[in-house]
PDB file of all heavy atoms in Angstrom:
ATOM      1  N   LEU H 138      45.874 103.204  18.850  1.00 95.00           N
ATOM      2  CA  LEU H 138      45.424 102.004  19.638  1.00 95.00           C
ATOM      3  C   LEU H 138      46.642 101.324  20.271  1.00 95.00           C
ATOM      4  O   LEU H 138      46.583 100.931  21.447  1.00 95.00           O
ATOM      5  CB  LEU H 138      44.705 101.019  18.708  1.00 95.00           C
ATOM      6  CG  LEU H 138      43.295 101.400  18.295  1.00 95.00           C
ATOM      7  CD1 LEU H 138      42.756 100.368  17.292  1.00 95.00           C
ATOM      8  CD2 LEU H 138      42.360 101.504  19.500  1.00 95.00           C
ATOM      9  N   ALA H 139      47.727 101.200  19.509  1.00 95.00           N
ATOM     10  CA  ALA H 139      48.944 100.581  20.055  1.00 95.00           C
ATOM     11  C   ALA H 139      49.494 101.361  21.245  1.00 95.00           C
ATOM     12  O   ALA H 139      49.901 100.793  22.256  1.00 95.00           O
ATOM     13  CB  ALA H 139      50.000 100.441  18.971  1.00 95.00           C
ATOM     14  N   ARG H 140      49.442 102.679  21.141  1.00 95.00           N
ATOM     15  CA  ARG H 140      49.900 103.527  22.243  1.00 95.00           C
ATOM     16  C   ARG H 140      49.024 103.363  23.486  1.00 95.00           C
ATOM     17  O   ARG H 140      49.547 103.264  24.611  1.00 95.00           O
ATOM     18  CB  ARG H 140      49.889 104.980  21.764  1.00 95.00           C
ATOM     19  CG  ARG H 140      50.755 105.871  22.600  1.00 95.00           C
ATOM     20  CD  ARG H 140      51.061 107.144  21.824  1.00 95.00           C
ATOM     21  NE  ARG H 140      50.518 108.263  22.542  1.00 95.00           N
ATOM     22  CZ  ARG H 140      50.233 109.431  22.007  1.00 95.00           C
ATOM     23  NH1 ARG H 140      50.389 109.614  20.718  1.00 95.00           N
ATOM     24  NH2 ARG H 140      49.775 110.416  22.731  1.00 95.00           N
ATOM     25  N   LEU H 141      47.728 103.318  23.287  1.00 94.00           N
ATOM     26  CA  LEU H 141      46.828 103.090  24.436  1.00 94.00           C
ATOM     27  C   LEU H 141      47.063 101.723  25.048  1.00 94.00           C
ATOM     28  O   LEU H 141      47.115 101.579  26.289  1.00 94.00           O
ATOM     29  CB  LEU H 141      45.350 103.222  23.974  1.00 94.00           C
ATOM     30  CG  LEU H 141      44.864 104.622  23.717  1.00 94.00           C
ATOM     31  CD1 LEU H 141      43.514 104.589  23.007  1.00 94.00           C
ATOM     32  CD2 LEU H 141      44.781 105.419  25.006  1.00 94.00           C
ATOM     33  N   LEU H 142      47.206 100.712  24.227  1.00 92.00           N
ATOM     34  CA  LEU H 142      47.438  99.357  24.744  1.00 92.00           C
ATOM     35  C   LEU H 142      48.746  99.284  25.518  1.00 92.00           C
ATOM     36  O   LEU H 142      48.848  98.681  26.575  1.00 92.00           O
ATOM     37  CB  LEU H 142      47.437  98.326  23.622  1.00 92.00           C
ATOM     38  CG  LEU H 142      46.062  97.928  23.101  1.00 92.00           C
ATOM     39  CD1 LEU H 142      46.191  97.126  21.822  1.00 92.00           C
ATOM     40  CD2 LEU H 142      45.286  97.170  24.159  1.00 92.00           C
ATOM     41  N   ALA H 143      49.788  99.900  24.966  1.00 93.00           N
ATOM     42  CA  ALA H 143      51.102  99.920  25.655  1.00 93.00           C
ATOM     43  C   ALA H 143      50.995 100.620  27.011  1.00 93.00           C
ATOM     44  O   ALA H 143      51.546 100.148  27.985  1.00 93.00           O
ATOM     45  CB  ALA H 143      52.155 100.591  24.774  1.00 93.00           C
ATOM     46  N   HIS H 144      50.278 101.702  27.042  1.00 93.00           N
ATOM     47  CA  HIS H 144      50.126 102.449  28.298  1.00 93.00           C
ATOM     48  C   HIS H 144      49.373 101.656  29.352  1.00 93.00           C
ATOM     49  O   HIS H 144      49.689 101.698  30.539  1.00 93.00           O
ATOM     50  CB  HIS H 144      49.401 103.768  28.035  1.00 93.00           C
ATOM     51  CG  HIS H 144      49.134 104.540  29.284  1.00 93.00           C
ATOM     52  ND1 HIS H 144      50.097 105.295  29.955  1.00 93.00           N
ATOM     53  CD2 HIS H 144      48.004 104.635  30.031  1.00 93.00           C
ATOM     54  CE1 HIS H 144      49.566 105.833  31.015  1.00 93.00           C
ATOM     55  NE2 HIS H 144      48.303 105.460  31.094  1.00 93.00           N
ATOM     56  N   HIS H 145      48.367 100.899  28.915  1.00 91.00           N
ATOM     57  CA  HIS H 145      47.513 100.181  29.852  1.00 91.00           C
ATOM     58  C   HIS H 145      47.870  98.688  30.010  1.00 91.00           C
ATOM     59  O   HIS H 145      47.153  97.961  30.661  1.00 91.00           O
ATOM     60  CB  HIS H 145      46.020 100.297  29.421  1.00 91.00           C
ATOM     61  CG  HIS H 145      45.509 101.686  29.497  1.00 91.00           C
ATOM     62  ND1 HIS H 145      45.344 102.329  30.696  1.00 91.00           N
ATOM     63  CD2 HIS H 145      45.182 102.593  28.547  1.00 91.00           C
ATOM     64  CE1 HIS H 145      44.888 103.557  30.501  1.00 91.00           C
ATOM     65  NE2 HIS H 145      44.806 103.739  29.166  1.00 91.00           N
TER      66      HIS H 145
END
Side-chain angles (χ1 to χ4, degrees):
L138 286 175
R140 199 162 118 202
L141 286 168
L142 283 170
H144 176 79
H145 294 292

